[in-house]
Structures are given as structure tokens and as C-alpha cells.
Amino acid sequence: GKVSISQIISEKNSIPLKIPTGKFPEMDFAANTQKLLFVGEEDRTAYYQVVQAGFELELPDNNVKTEIEVSKTYQTLSGDNTQEATLGEEIEVHLKFRSINNRRLHDVAIIDLLPAGLEVDAASLRNELSGTWTPDYVDVREDRVVFYGTVDTQIQEMVYKVRAINKGDFIVPPLYGESMYDRTIYGYSPNERFTVK
């Protein structure tokens, strides 16, 4: 059917979008768009999807807790907290999290992005997974580990090993936890820099 789309920038500023031909046309609209107005000339159902992608330009300075609280520490194998390792050394990642709204949170993803100087010891996730929490599923990727499961009101902990592979001073991305189906439930925790000597 014939459909027109306009981007509403303000009450007095409306800009029509040029819809490309094809069954599933794609187009960009301005970042300052307040609304999108769809007008169909026929009595037909239309579907649309808005996709936003990117990353934060500045790391958060403080913990954010909206119904879930998360934190991360690095420890030597002897149990001391650390923010540095020597090349080839194995250390442990300790992730702690809990629900802060007096209810269990189901279908939560805990996303641990790794600094560039560390890599996951996949065997520790398969064979030596420890802590007080048992995830439903673990997704090990090159630059992160994503844990999926249910988070309770008591503090729960997940422990796994990483290895130092590159020398340098690295930014540690914040630990992030989020409900997969309720985007109002999330929390993240900034971390210090990590050094590999």
C-alpha cells in the first residue's frame, strides 16, 4: 500500500522522509526527531521497526542501580584484589549481583566486557565455574562473557578465570546487568583501569 512517513522535529517543523522502493525499505531519520508520523492511503496493516545502535562516549562515573545491583573485582589466585597482572598470568574475575526490589528477577543477562589485555579462560567456564550462582546459560565470546539466569535478593557471585595476553594500561568496561524483557531493570558498575606488565 501507499504509505508516507514524516519526521516531526518540533510542532512547527515536519520533514517528509523519502521511502526507497522495495518490500522492506530502510531509511535514516534525524537524531532530534520527536515523533514519526505514518500515513497510509489504503486500509492495510503496516509494520515498522526502529533500530538504534552505538556506544557511550563517556564511561559512567558511578554505580547505577535500577532494581539490580552489580559489581566486579579482579583477584589473584591467592585471593588478593588486584588491578594488574603480569603477561601470561591467570587471575580470577569475581562478579557479584543481587535484586534490590525484594523479588526474584528472571531472564537477566549479566554482561562482562573484558579489557583488551585479558582473554577468557574458556576451560574455567566449562569445568571450574564457581561461586554461589548457577547461570542458565553462558555465552563466551572473544571480548566478553554473557551470563543468563535468575537473580535473587541475596548477593550472588560468579567466579571465572582470565589470562593476561597483552602488555599495556587498559580501560575496564563497566559490568552491566539487564532484564531481557523489561528494559527498566538494569544496573552497571564502573571499574578502574587494568595494567598488564
Side-chain angles (χ1 to χ4, degrees):
K2 294 183 179 180
V3 175
S4 62
I5 306 173
S6 297
Q7 51 188 344
I8 311 297
I9 307 298
S10 66
E11 287 184 19
K12 297 180 180 179
N13 189 2
S14 174
I15 303 168
L17 291 172
K18 184 175 180 182
I19 302 174
T21 58
K23 198 169 193 176
F24 301 106
E26 294 182 16
M27 67 209 77
D28 294 329
F29 59 89
N32 61 343
T33 300
Q34 299 295 314
K35 297 177 185 177
L36 291 173
L37 176 64
F38 293 79
V39 177
E41 295 180 18
E42 299 175 16
D43 186 18
R44 301 179 103 183
T45 302
Y47 298 92
Y48 68 93
Q49 177 181 19
V50 177
V51 178
Q52 180 180 2
F55 55 89
E56 296 198 35
L57 296 176
E58 294 182 22
L59 291 174
D61 294 332
N62 303 316
N63 288 350
V64 172
K65 308 170 200 175
T66 59
E67 300 197 43
I68 187 170
E69 180 178 37
V70 296
S71 69
K72 172 169 64 173
T73 57
Y74 293 108
Q75 292 185 5
T76 63
L77 297 184
S78 59
D80 298 320
N81 287 353
T82 186
Q83 288 299 129
E84 63 180 34
T86 57
L87 194 62
E89 182 182 3
E90 272 193 342
I91 60 171
E92 290 181 338
V93 180
H94 289 250
L95 308 177
K96 293 184 180 178
F97 37 87
R98 68 182 177 126
S99 165
I100 56 175
N101 67 353
N102 294 321
R103 67 182 174 108
R104 297 181 84 197
L105 300 175
H106 298 278
D107 302 311
V108 172
I110 307 290
I111 302 114
D112 186 21
L113 285 161
L114 298 173
L118 300 177
E119 78 173 355
V120 177
D121 178 359
S124 75
L125 286 168
R126 284 193 303 271
N127 307 321
E128 303 169 38
L129 200 59
S130 61
T132 59
W133 188 61
T134 303
D136 295 333
Y137 182 73
V138 180
D139 183 9
V140 181
R141 302 183 192 177
E142 192 173 300
D143 64 341
R144 74 193 69 192
V145 182
V146 185
F147 302 93
Y148 300 93
T150 300
V151 175
D152 284 319
T153 55
Q154 292 81 29
I155 294 175
Q156 297 166 288
E157 184 177 33
M158 174 61 51
V159 180
Y160 69 97
K161 291 180 183 174
V162 293
R163 181 176 289 106
I165 58 166
N166 290 319
K167 289 185 178 180
D169 183 34
F170 302 99
I171 293 173
V172 178
L175 175 66
Y176 190 73
E178 180 181 53
S179 169
M180 292 188 292
Y181 303 110
D182 183 349
R183 303 303 292 270
T184 64
I185 299 174
Y186 65 93
Y188 55 76
S189 172
N191 210 299
E192 302 172 31
R193 298 178 77 88
F194 194 90
T195 303
V196 178
K197 299 178 180 179

mmCIF file with all atom_site columns, all heavy atoms in Angstrom, residues 153-169:
data_model
loop_
_atom_site.group_PDB
_atom_site.id
_atom_site.type_symbol
_atom_site.label_atom_id
_atom_site.label_alt_id
_atom_site.label_comp_id
_atom_site.label_asym_id
_atom_site.label_entity_id
_atom_site.label_seq_id
_atom_site.pdbx_PDB_ins_code
_atom_site.Cartn_x
_atom_site.Cartn_y
_atom_site.Cartn_z
_atom_site.occupancy
_atom_site.B_iso_or_equiv
_atom_site.pdbx_formal_charge
_atom_site.auth_seq_id
_atom_site.auth_comp_id
_atom_site.auth_asym_id
_atom_site.auth_atom_id
_atom_site.pdbx_PDB_model_num
ATOM 1   N N   . THR A 1 153 ? 17.420 -11.856 45.777 1.00 0.00 ? 153 THR A N   1
ATOM 2   C CA  . THR A 1 153 ? 17.662 -10.679 46.631 1.00 0.00 ? 153 THR A CA  1
ATOM 3   C C   . THR A 1 153 ? 18.940 -10.820 47.450 1.00 0.00 ? 153 THR A C   1
ATOM 4   O O   . THR A 1 153 ? 19.471 -9.828  47.911 1.00 0.00 ? 153 THR A O   1
ATOM 5   C CB  . THR A 1 153 ? 16.471 -10.454 47.582 1.00 0.00 ? 153 THR A CB  1
ATOM 6   O OG1 . THR A 1 153 ? 16.230 -11.651 48.321 1.00 0.00 ? 153 THR A OG1 1
ATOM 7   C CG2 . THR A 1 153 ? 15.225 -10.084 46.801 1.00 0.00 ? 153 THR A CG2 1
ATOM 8   N N   . GLN A 1 154 ? 19.426 -12.055 47.652 1.00 0.00 ? 154 GLN A N   1
ATOM 9   C CA  . GLN A 1 154 ? 20.705 -12.225 48.329 1.00 0.00 ? 154 GLN A CA  1
ATOM 10  C C   . GLN A 1 154 ? 21.840 -12.016 47.327 1.00 0.00 ? 154 GLN A C   1
ATOM 11  O O   . GLN A 1 154 ? 21.693 -12.295 46.139 1.00 0.00 ? 154 GLN A O   1
ATOM 12  C CB  . GLN A 1 154 ? 20.834 -13.638 48.928 1.00 0.00 ? 154 GLN A CB  1
ATOM 13  C CG  . GLN A 1 154 ? 19.894 -13.936 50.079 1.00 0.00 ? 154 GLN A CG  1
ATOM 14  C CD  . GLN A 1 154 ? 18.511 -14.318 49.600 1.00 0.00 ? 154 GLN A CD  1
ATOM 15  O OE1 . GLN A 1 154 ? 18.366 -14.866 48.508 1.00 0.00 ? 154 GLN A OE1 1
ATOM 16  N NE2 . GLN A 1 154 ? 17.491 -14.019 50.385 1.00 0.00 ? 154 GLN A NE2 1
ATOM 17  N N   . ILE A 1 155 ? 22.986 -11.553 47.818 1.00 0.00 ? 155 ILE A N   1
ATOM 18  C CA  . ILE A 1 155 ? 24.143 -11.351 46.943 1.00 0.00 ? 155 ILE A CA  1
ATOM 19  C C   . ILE A 1 155 ? 24.586 -12.701 46.395 1.00 0.00 ? 155 ILE A C   1
ATOM 20  O O   . ILE A 1 155 ? 24.787 -13.654 47.144 1.00 0.00 ? 155 ILE A O   1
ATOM 21  C CB  . ILE A 1 155 ? 25.292 -10.665 47.695 1.00 0.00 ? 155 ILE A CB  1
ATOM 22  C CG1 . ILE A 1 155 ? 24.895 -9.246  48.096 1.00 0.00 ? 155 ILE A CG1 1
ATOM 23  C CG2 . ILE A 1 155 ? 26.556 -10.646 46.831 1.00 0.00 ? 155 ILE A CG2 1
ATOM 24  C CD1 . ILE A 1 155 ? 25.903 -8.522  48.944 1.00 0.00 ? 155 ILE A CD1 1
ATOM 25  N N   . GLN A 1 156 ? 24.709 -12.775 45.086 1.00 0.00 ? 156 GLN A N   1
ATOM 26  C CA  . GLN A 1 156 ? 25.174 -13.981 44.414 1.00 0.00 ? 156 GLN A CA  1
ATOM 27  C C   . GLN A 1 156 ? 26.487 -13.671 43.721 1.00 0.00 ? 156 GLN A C   1
ATOM 28  O O   . GLN A 1 156 ? 26.743 -12.519 43.330 1.00 0.00 ? 156 GLN A O   1
ATOM 29  C CB  . GLN A 1 156 ? 24.129 -14.451 43.407 1.00 0.00 ? 156 GLN A CB  1
ATOM 30  C CG  . GLN A 1 156 ? 22.818 -14.829 44.086 1.00 0.00 ? 156 GLN A CG  1
ATOM 31  C CD  . GLN A 1 156 ? 21.689 -14.959 43.089 1.00 0.00 ? 156 GLN A CD  1
ATOM 32  O OE1 . GLN A 1 156 ? 21.211 -13.972 42.550 1.00 0.00 ? 156 GLN A OE1 1
ATOM 33  N NE2 . GLN A 1 156 ? 21.268 -16.183 42.847 1.00 0.00 ? 156 GLN A NE2 1
ATOM 34  N N   . GLU A 1 157 ? 27.319 -14.684 43.543 1.00 0.00 ? 157 GLU A N   1
ATOM 35  C CA  . GLU A 1 157 ? 28.646 -14.469 42.975 1.00 0.00 ? 157 GLU A CA  1
ATOM 36  C C   . GLU A 1 157 ? 28.940 -15.478 41.883 1.00 0.00 ? 157 GLU A C   1
ATOM 37  O O   . GLU A 1 157 ? 28.585 -16.646 41.986 1.00 0.00 ? 157 GLU A O   1
ATOM 38  C CB  . GLU A 1 157 ? 29.710 -14.567 44.072 1.00 0.00 ? 157 GLU A CB  1
ATOM 39  C CG  . GLU A 1 157 ? 31.110 -14.270 43.574 1.00 0.00 ? 157 GLU A CG  1
ATOM 40  C CD  . GLU A 1 157 ? 32.138 -14.305 44.690 1.00 0.00 ? 157 GLU A CD  1
ATOM 41  O OE1 . GLU A 1 157 ? 31.973 -15.109 45.635 1.00 0.00 ? 157 GLU A OE1 1
ATOM 42  O OE2 . GLU A 1 157 ? 33.095 -13.529 44.616 1.00 0.00 ? 157 GLU A OE2 1
ATOM 43  N N   . MET A 1 158 ? 29.593 -15.001 40.836 1.00 0.00 ? 158 MET A N   1
ATOM 44  C CA  . MET A 1 158 ? 30.074 -15.839 39.746 1.00 0.00 ? 158 MET A CA  1
ATOM 45  C C   . MET A 1 158 ? 31.580 -15.600 39.645 1.00 0.00 ? 158 MET A C   1
ATOM 46  O O   . MET A 1 158 ? 32.029 -14.449 39.637 1.00 0.00 ? 158 MET A O   1
ATOM 47  C CB  . MET A 1 158 ? 29.372 -15.438 38.449 1.00 0.00 ? 158 MET A CB  1
ATOM 48  C CG  . MET A 1 158 ? 29.876 -16.125 37.209 1.00 0.00 ? 158 MET A CG  1
ATOM 49  S SD  . MET A 1 158 ? 29.709 -17.898 37.210 1.00 0.00 ? 158 MET A SD  1
ATOM 50  C CE  . MET A 1 158 ? 28.012 -18.108 37.640 1.00 0.00 ? 158 MET A CE  1
ATOM 51  N N   . VAL A 1 159 ? 32.360 -16.674 39.580 1.00 0.00 ? 159 VAL A N   1
ATOM 52  C CA  . VAL A 1 159 ? 33.818 -16.565 39.524 1.00 0.00 ? 159 VAL A CA  1
ATOM 53  C C   . VAL A 1 159 ? 34.313 -17.342 38.307 1.00 0.00 ? 159 VAL A C   1
ATOM 54  O O   . VAL A 1 159 ? 33.919 -18.488 38.097 1.00 0.00 ? 159 VAL A O   1
ATOM 55  C CB  . VAL A 1 159 ? 34.478 -17.128 40.807 1.00 0.00 ? 159 VAL A CB  1
ATOM 56  C CG1 . VAL A 1 159 ? 35.997 -16.994 40.729 1.00 0.00 ? 159 VAL A CG1 1
ATOM 57  C CG2 . VAL A 1 159 ? 33.933 -16.429 42.040 1.00 0.00 ? 159 VAL A CG2 1
ATOM 58  N N   . TYR A 1 160 ? 35.184 -16.713 37.509 1.00 0.00 ? 160 TYR A N   1
ATOM 59  C CA  . TYR A 1 160 ? 35.832 -17.406 36.404 1.00 0.00 ? 160 TYR A CA  1
ATOM 60  C C   . TYR A 1 160 ? 37.221 -16.815 36.198 1.00 0.00 ? 160 TYR A C   1
ATOM 61  O O   . TYR A 1 160 ? 37.561 -15.778 36.774 1.00 0.00 ? 160 TYR A O   1
ATOM 62  C CB  . TYR A 1 160 ? 34.980 -17.343 35.125 1.00 0.00 ? 160 TYR A CB  1
ATOM 63  C CG  . TYR A 1 160 ? 34.878 -15.982 34.490 1.00 0.00 ? 160 TYR A CG  1
ATOM 64  C CD1 . TYR A 1 160 ? 35.704 -15.629 33.429 1.00 0.00 ? 160 TYR A CD1 1
ATOM 65  C CD2 . TYR A 1 160 ? 33.944 -15.054 34.937 1.00 0.00 ? 160 TYR A CD2 1
ATOM 66  C CE1 . TYR A 1 160 ? 35.601 -14.387 32.828 1.00 0.00 ? 160 TYR A CE1 1
ATOM 67  C CE2 . TYR A 1 160 ? 33.838 -13.813 34.339 1.00 0.00 ? 160 TYR A CE2 1
ATOM 68  C CZ  . TYR A 1 160 ? 34.676 -13.486 33.291 1.00 0.00 ? 160 TYR A CZ  1
ATOM 69  O OH  . TYR A 1 160 ? 34.582 -12.251 32.705 1.00 0.00 ? 160 TYR A OH  1
ATOM 70  N N   . LYS A 1 161 ? 38.040 -17.473 35.383 1.00 0.00 ? 161 LYS A N   1
ATOM 71  C CA  . LYS A 1 161 ? 39.434 -17.056 35.201 1.00 0.00 ? 161 LYS A CA  1
ATOM 72  C C   . LYS A 1 161 ? 39.640 -16.385 33.851 1.00 0.00 ? 161 LYS A C   1
ATOM 73  O O   . LYS A 1 161 ? 38.994 -16.725 32.857 1.00 0.00 ? 161 LYS A O   1
ATOM 74  C CB  . LYS A 1 161 ? 40.364 -18.258 35.320 1.00 0.00 ? 161 LYS A CB  1
ATOM 75  C CG  . LYS A 1 161 ? 40.446 -18.827 36.717 1.00 0.00 ? 161 LYS A CG  1
ATOM 76  C CD  . LYS A 1 161 ? 41.376 -20.019 36.753 1.00 0.00 ? 161 LYS A CD  1
ATOM 77  C CE  . LYS A 1 161 ? 41.390 -20.628 38.150 1.00 0.00 ? 161 LYS A CE  1
ATOM 78  N NZ  . LYS A 1 161 ? 42.177 -21.876 38.186 1.00 0.00 ? 161 LYS A NZ  1
ATOM 79  N N   . VAL A 1 162 ? 40.586 -15.440 33.856 1.00 0.00 ? 162 VAL A N   1
ATOM 80  C CA  . VAL A 1 162 ? 41.046 -14.798 32.628 1.00 0.00 ? 162 VAL A CA  1
ATOM 81  C C   . VAL A 1 162 ? 42.575 -14.845 32.636 1.00 0.00 ? 162 VAL A C   1
ATOM 82  O O   . VAL A 1 162 ? 43.202 -15.045 33.673 1.00 0.00 ? 162 VAL A O   1
ATOM 83  C CB  . VAL A 1 162 ? 40.546 -13.342 32.502 1.00 0.00 ? 162 VAL A CB  1
ATOM 84  C CG1 . VAL A 1 162 ? 39.050 -13.280 32.323 1.00 0.00 ? 162 VAL A CG1 1
ATOM 85  C CG2 . VAL A 1 162 ? 40.976 -12.495 33.689 1.00 0.00 ? 162 VAL A CG2 1
ATOM 86  N N   . ARG A 1 163 ? 43.170 -14.632 31.466 1.00 0.00 ? 163 ARG A N   1
ATOM 87  C CA  . ARG A 1 163 ? 44.628 -14.643 31.327 1.00 0.00 ? 163 ARG A CA  1
ATOM 88  C C   . ARG A 1 163 ? 45.081 -13.331 30.702 1.00 0.00 ? 163 ARG A C   1
ATOM 89  O O   . ARG A 1 163 ? 44.448 -12.827 29.776 1.00 0.00 ? 163 ARG A O   1
ATOM 90  C CB  . ARG A 1 163 ? 45.060 -15.827 30.458 1.00 0.00 ? 163 ARG A CB  1
ATOM 91  C CG  . ARG A 1 163 ? 46.561 -15.958 30.272 1.00 0.00 ? 163 ARG A CG  1
ATOM 92  C CD  . ARG A 1 163 ? 46.942 -17.195 29.487 1.00 0.00 ? 163 ARG A CD  1
ATOM 93  N NE  . ARG A 1 163 ? 46.711 -18.390 30.278 1.00 0.00 ? 163 ARG A NE  1
ATOM 94  C CZ  . ARG A 1 163 ? 45.695 -19.248 30.083 1.00 0.00 ? 163 ARG A CZ  1
ATOM 95  N NH1 . ARG A 1 163 ? 44.820 -19.046 29.122 1.00 0.00 ? 163 ARG A NH1 1
ATOM 96  N NH2 . ARG A 1 163 ? 45.552 -20.312 30.833 1.00 0.00 ? 163 ARG A NH2 1
ATOM 97  N N   . ALA A 1 164 ? 46.194 -12.793 31.225 1.00 0.00 ? 164 ALA A N   1
ATOM 98  C CA  . ALA A 1 164 ? 46.775 -11.565 30.668 1.00 0.00 ? 164 ALA A CA  1
ATOM 99  C C   . ALA A 1 164 ? 47.513 -11.905 29.378 1.00 0.00 ? 164 ALA A C   1
ATOM 100 O O   . ALA A 1 164 ? 48.413 -12.754 29.386 1.00 0.00 ? 164 ALA A O   1
ATOM 101 C CB  . ALA A 1 164 ? 47.719 -10.936 31.681 1.00 0.00 ? 164 ALA A CB  1
ATOM 102 N N   . ILE A 1 165 ? 47.133 -11.248 28.274 1.00 0.00 ? 165 ILE A N   1
ATOM 103 C CA  . ILE A 1 165 ? 47.712 -11.598 26.963 1.00 0.00 ? 165 ILE A CA  1
ATOM 104 C C   . ILE A 1 165 ? 48.425 -10.440 26.259 1.00 0.00 ? 165 ILE A C   1
ATOM 105 O O   . ILE A 1 165 ? 49.168 -10.679 25.318 1.00 0.00 ? 165 ILE A O   1
ATOM 106 C CB  . ILE A 1 165 ? 46.625 -12.156 26.024 1.00 0.00 ? 165 ILE A CB  1
ATOM 107 C CG1 . ILE A 1 165 ? 45.496 -11.141 25.835 1.00 0.00 ? 165 ILE A CG1 1
ATOM 108 C CG2 . ILE A 1 165 ? 46.106 -13.480 26.519 1.00 0.00 ? 165 ILE A CG2 1
ATOM 109 C CD1 . ILE A 1 165 ? 44.564 -11.460 24.690 1.00 0.00 ? 165 ILE A CD1 1
ATOM 110 N N   . ASN A 1 166 ? 48.175 -9.199  26.689 1.00 0.00 ? 166 ASN A N   1
ATOM 111 C CA  . ASN A 1 166 ? 48.805 -8.032  26.048 1.00 0.00 ? 166 ASN A CA  1
ATOM 112 C C   . ASN A 1 166 ? 49.291 -7.076  27.108 1.00 0.00 ? 166 ASN A C   1
ATOM 113 O O   . ASN A 1 166 ? 48.561 -6.775  28.050 1.00 0.00 ? 166 ASN A O   1
ATOM 114 C CB  . ASN A 1 166 ? 47.813 -7.273  25.147 1.00 0.00 ? 166 ASN A CB  1
ATOM 115 C CG  . ASN A 1 166 ? 47.445 -8.039  23.908 1.00 0.00 ? 166 ASN A CG  1
ATOM 116 O OD1 . ASN A 1 166 ? 48.274 -8.670  23.283 1.00 0.00 ? 166 ASN A OD1 1
ATOM 117 N ND2 . ASN A 1 166 ? 46.176 -7.999  23.563 1.00 0.00 ? 166 ASN A ND2 1
ATOM 118 N N   . LYS A 1 167 ? 50.499 -6.553  26.930 1.00 0.00 ? 167 LYS A N   1
ATOM 119 C CA  . LYS A 1 167 ? 51.007 -5.550  27.866 1.00 0.00 ? 167 LYS A CA  1
ATOM 120 C C   . LYS A 1 167 ? 50.356 -4.208  27.579 1.00 0.00 ? 167 LYS A C   1
ATOM 121 O O   . LYS A 1 167 ? 50.077 -3.871  26.433 1.00 0.00 ? 167 LYS A O   1
ATOM 122 C CB  . LYS A 1 167 ? 52.528 -5.411  27.741 1.00 0.00 ? 167 LYS A CB  1
ATOM 123 C CG  . LYS A 1 167 ? 53.306 -6.595  28.270 1.00 0.00 ? 167 LYS A CG  1
ATOM 124 C CD  . LYS A 1 167 ? 54.804 -6.328  28.209 1.00 0.00 ? 167 LYS A CD  1
ATOM 125 C CE  . LYS A 1 167 ? 55.574 -7.498  28.789 1.00 0.00 ? 167 LYS A CE  1
ATOM 126 N NZ  . LYS A 1 167 ? 57.029 -7.250  28.742 1.00 0.00 ? 167 LYS A NZ  1
ATOM 127 N N   . GLY A 1 168 ? 50.106 -3.447  28.647 1.00 0.00 ? 168 GLY A N   1
ATOM 128 C CA  . GLY A 1 168 ? 49.559 -2.110  28.470 1.00 0.00 ? 168 GLY A CA  1
ATOM 129 C C   . GLY A 1 168 ? 48.679 -1.706  29.637 1.00 0.00 ? 168 GLY A C   1
ATOM 130 O O   . GLY A 1 168 ? 48.473 -2.460  30.593 1.00 0.00 ? 168 GLY A O   1
ATOM 131 N N   . ASP A 1 169 ? 48.173 -0.470  29.542 1.00 0.00 ? 169 ASP A N   1
ATOM 132 C CA  . ASP A 1 169 ? 47.250 0.083   30.527 1.00 0.00 ? 169 ASP A CA  1
ATOM 133 C C   . ASP A 1 169 ? 45.886 0.162   29.843 1.00 0.00 ? 169 ASP A C   1
ATOM 134 O O   . ASP A 1 169 ? 45.734 0.883   28.856 1.00 0.00 ? 169 ASP A O   1
ATOM 135 C CB  . ASP A 1 169 ? 47.741 1.463   30.972 1.00 0.00 ? 169 ASP A CB  1
ATOM 136 C CG  . ASP A 1 169 ? 46.879 2.065   32.050 1.00 0.00 ? 169 ASP A CG  1
ATOM 137 O OD1 . ASP A 1 169 ? 46.368 1.306   32.890 1.00 0.00 ? 169 ASP A OD1 1
ATOM 138 O OD2 . ASP A 1 169 ? 46.705 3.297   32.042 1.00 0.00 ? 169 ASP A OD2 1
#
